[in-house]
Amino acid sequence: MKKKICLYMLSLFIFSFLALNSASAAPFDQVISRWQKEQYFVNDMGNNLSITCTYYSAEFIEAYIQSESQKNLWTQNEAEDYKYNFLQALQLSEMIPIHIKFMNNGPTMHPGPFDVMVKLRIGNKLYKAVDYDKRFNFKFQGTMEGLVYFPRYDEETGKDLLKGAKTVRLEFNSALSSILDNKQPYFIWTIADDDPAKLYQGKSANRFETDRLLKRLEKLRKDKAEHEKQLQGINDEISTVQKRLDELAKQ
């Protein structure tokens, strides 16, 4: 819960930053334009809805962190600490996080349950969200934004779902809002050259590797304790069987 609150605050900070810095350096603006996409819908009565979606690519994250580092005059250690905390909150190594923002100037929207309203298409398969900001389940007017998480790995095989994929497509259900008039909005990102592994370098990489090894060590210790318990049960049963055999041999 604490991690989700932290991530929510981070996402708000990012998009406040983007809104307040429209005159930022051109290269950063170009990066934003590649990964932040918006669609606008309006009906005959003048009601309108805008949907803005941002894909957290390695390029976007690096550009944002570098921009913040320059703005705040961070040392390399401070920048690495920020990067580590940011990536940890995004859960980028396990999930595909996408930020969604609605600006609803029309009838009240009733998007819950939200996981039936949005899906991610990778190749020819659709994937449901595994987690999302639960505020999306409640009716609203005006602005609503938050993060939605999709699986990065196949649940059964463990295969990286993005390996070999050229694009991903975020698809919305037309029932999201009456303003859509049965249209089904979608957003496409070209992710063939996106490599999240680039983010896990330097000191941050060592810290993530340490975290991974500690989790692995904890799992191995639990497995060992379970196996030892099973082995003890087997040894006890062997003793019981042998004792009975000895008794029968004396009869």
Side-chain angles (χ1 to χ4, degrees), residues 17-18 21 24-33 59-60 62-65 67-68:
F17 170 85
L18 296 180
N21 290 273
S24 58
F28 188 38
D29 286 345
Q30 292 171 5
V31 170
I32 295 171
S33 67
E59 181 187 37
F60 178 86
E62 283 287 11
Y64 169 71
I65 292 174
S67 177
E68 284 298 282

Side-chain angles (χ1 to χ4, degrees), residues 109-202:
M109 291 174 59
H110 302 264
F114 193 66
D115 58 352
V116 303
M117 292 294 175
V118 60
K119 289 181 174 63
L120 188 68
R121 184 180 295 276
I122 305 174
N124 59 356
K125 292 186 178 180
L126 281 172
Y127 296 91
K128 291 183 63 174
V130 294
D131 197 9
Y132 58 91
D133 191 323
K134 295 305 185 289
R135 294 178 305 160
F136 282 135
N137 285 335
F138 300 97
K139 61 183 181 180
F140 71 92
Q141 287 181 307
T143 302
M144 178 65 72
E145 62 183 299
L147 282 140
V148 181
Y149 299 88
F150 295 94
R152 184 174 290 273
Y153 298 97
D154 185 274
E155 187 176 1
E156 295 182 358
T157 66
K159 178 185 175 182
D160 185 345
L161 297 175
L162 296 179
K163 187 175 182 180
K166 295 182 178 179
T167 63
V168 294
R169 171 168 160 157
L170 187 68
E171 301 181 0
F172 288 92
N173 193 310
S174 61
L176 185 69
S177 170
S178 60
I179 296 175
L180 296 176
D181 192 26
N182 293 322
K183 298 184 182 70
Q184 295 182 309
Y186 62 87
F187 298 79
I188 298 176
W189 292 276
T190 301
I191 52 91
D193 297 325
D194 183 39
D195 183 10
K198 294 178 181 178
L199 296 168
Y200 298 91
Q201 299 175 354

Side-chain angles (χ1 to χ4, degrees), residues 2-143:
K2 184 177 180 182
K3 182 182 289 187
K4 290 182 180 179
I5 293 174
C6 176
L7 183 53
Y8 169 66
M9 295 304 294
L10 282 172
S11 65
L12 281 183
F13 182 77
I14 288 176
F15 289 90
S16 296
F17 170 85
L18 296 180
L20 294 172
N21 290 273
S22 58
S24 58
F28 188 38
D29 286 345
Q30 292 171 5
V31 170
I32 295 171
S33 67
R34 278 194 288 274
W35 301 106
Q36 185 180 89
K37 300 179 182 294
E38 180 179 2
Q39 291 187 28
Y40 181 81
F41 303 88
V42 60
N43 63 15
D44 295 338
M45 300 181 65
N47 298 315
N48 60 80
L49 170 68
S50 67
I51 307 175
T52 306
C53 299
T54 304
Y55 185 92
Y56 282 90
S57 68
E59 181 187 37
F60 178 86
I61 294 171
E62 283 287 11
Y64 169 71
I65 292 174
Q66 289 176 15
S67 177
E68 284 298 282
S69 181
Q70 293 172 6
K71 185 181 72 173
N72 293 292
L73 301 177
W74 285 338
T75 64
Q76 183 175 354
N77 284 338
E78 288 173 330
E80 286 287 349
D81 285 343
Y82 184 86
K83 179 179 179 180
Y84 170 79
N85 291 324
F86 189 68
L87 291 177
Q88 190 177 50
L90 278 177
Q91 304 178 63
L92 198 66
S93 61
E94 302 171 6
M95 306 287 185
I96 302 173
I98 297 178
H99 186 276
I100 299 175
K101 179 179 180 181
F102 298 109
M103 288 285 290
N104 175 34
N105 297 308
T108 299
M109 291 174 59
H110 302 264
F114 193 66
D115 58 352
V116 303
M117 292 294 175
V118 60
K119 289 181 174 63
L120 188 68
R121 184 180 295 276
I122 305 174
N124 59 356
K125 292 186 178 180
L126 281 172
Y127 296 91
K128 291 183 63 174
V130 294
D131 197 9
Y132 58 91
D133 191 323
K134 295 305 185 289
R135 294 178 305 160
F136 282 135
N137 285 335
F138 300 97
K139 61 183 181 180
F140 71 92
Q141 287 181 307
T143 302

